[in-house]
Amino acid sequence: MARVALVTGGSRGIGAAISIALKAAGYTVAANYAGNDEAAAAFSKETGIATYKWDVSNYDACVEGIAKVEAAHGPVDVLVNNAGITRDSMFHKMTKDQWDQVISTNLSSLFNMTRPVWEGMRARKFGRVVCISSVNGQKGQLGQVNYSASKAGDLGFVKALAQEGARAGITVNAVCPGYIATDMVKAIDPAVVEKNILPHIAIGRLGEPEEIARAVVFLVADNAGFITGSTISANGGQYMI
């Protein structure tokens, strides 16, 4: 029986590419989404991947949503914590709401999504958790104190939880994308991309969502059990650590 993979924010952008790649690799995939019903319906129609709507910043909603996924497809073996938002602002102008929204969606969601599947993974002695962080969680970014803090927190979550899951056959890893050619990045003024972004990327181009997806497929494989607590930096040489 195919392993069940659940991808948050899995119907658009990087998440959609991850969902599609996991299905192509033989997984039964469920994609969570937050609010764009039209995009989710189109994604399901095009790919055959089931979509489920809930807010990952709400713990009770996550418990209920995961229960629906498992009732339909079986226990979740692979969890990809991909959902994320930005509410950019210079810190001296940032509101408490902008801070709370980003921390809740990008960081607290890791607890909200992982905790309900963790005991099942422990009992089955197998699990794969991948958290999509960001290059800006590694190096910081002006105007993104909230976002950078949340994505740096993702990496701490991964390193600590990996130690707890290791003897139970559960790996926990992170992928840190750089600037990827998603709708969000494509919406940036091309002149800004050309002048302010591309010169800092060693290979001289934006990444593609499928390149992030390939990293995830690698990390969640059954035979990737010796890789845990690790971070794959997929940023085209923008930031090297």
Side-chain angles (χ1 to χ4, degrees):
M1 181 178 294
R3 294 200 182 279
V4 175
L6 173 57
V7 183
T8 67
S11 64
R12 299 174 65 193
I14 291 173
I18 293 170
S19 295
I20 292 167
L22 287 170
K23 182 181 179 184
Y27 295 84
T28 298
V29 181
N32 151 270
Y33 72 102
N36 194 325
D37 296 324
E38 183 177 349
F43 175 78
S44 289
K45 183 177 180 180
E46 180 180 348
T47 64
I49 294 172
T51 54
Y52 297 83
K53 182 179 181 179
W54 73 82
D55 177 6
V56 295
S57 71
N58 183 309
Y59 179 75
D60 291 337
C62 291
V63 171
E64 182 179 341
I66 290 167
K68 289 179 180 178
V69 169
E70 294 194 325
H73 306 289
V76 172
D77 298 303
V78 173
L79 173 65
V80 182
N81 288 311
N82 166 74
I85 62 171
T86 57
R87 297 291 185 268
D88 294 351
S89 173
M90 296 298 286
F91 190 69
H92 67 279
K93 297 181 180 179
M94 185 174 291
T95 66
K96 180 67 161 55
D97 189 51
Q98 287 174 314
W99 174 270
D100 287 343
Q101 285 184 45
V102 170
I103 296 298
S104 295
T105 300
N106 297 4
L107 179 56
S108 296
S109 65
L110 271 58
F111 176 87
N112 297 344
M113 288 297 304
T114 309
R115 182 65 180 84
V117 302
W118 190 252
E119 290 183 44
M121 290 179 174
R122 281 169 50 85
R124 295 188 300 276
K125 300 297 182 184
F126 181 89
R128 297 285 185 264
V129 179
V130 177
C131 300
I132 307 301
S133 179
S134 169
V135 63
N136 290 342
Q138 296 174 300
K139 72 177 187 62
Q141 178 60 41
L142 178 147
Q144 286 195 325
V145 170
N146 50 2
Y147 184 80
S148 294
S150 70
K151 292 301 185 177
D154 292 352
L155 300 180
F157 177 93
V158 163
K159 291 175 183 179
L161 191 59
Q163 296 179 54
E164 295 191 23
R167 295 297 178 92
I170 307 168
T171 66
V172 187
N173 292 290
V175 178
C176 284
Y179 283 91
I180 307 299
T182 61
D183 289 341
M184 182 173 67
V185 173
K186 289 177 181 177
I188 300 173
D189 184 339
V192 173
V193 174
E194 190 71 27
K195 180 180 179 181
N196 298 332
I197 295 176
L198 293 184
H200 298 287
I201 301 175
I203 67 171
R205 66 170 175 84
L206 300 176
E208 295 296 332
E210 291 76 16
E211 294 178 296
I212 307 305
R214 285 194 288 274
V216 173
V217 173
F218 167 71
L219 288 172
V220 304
D222 278 25
N223 59 4
F226 201 61
I227 304 170
T228 195
S230 296
T231 300
I232 293 180
S233 295
N235 59 45
Q238 178 186 357
Y239 186 70
M240 303 181 189
I241 56 172

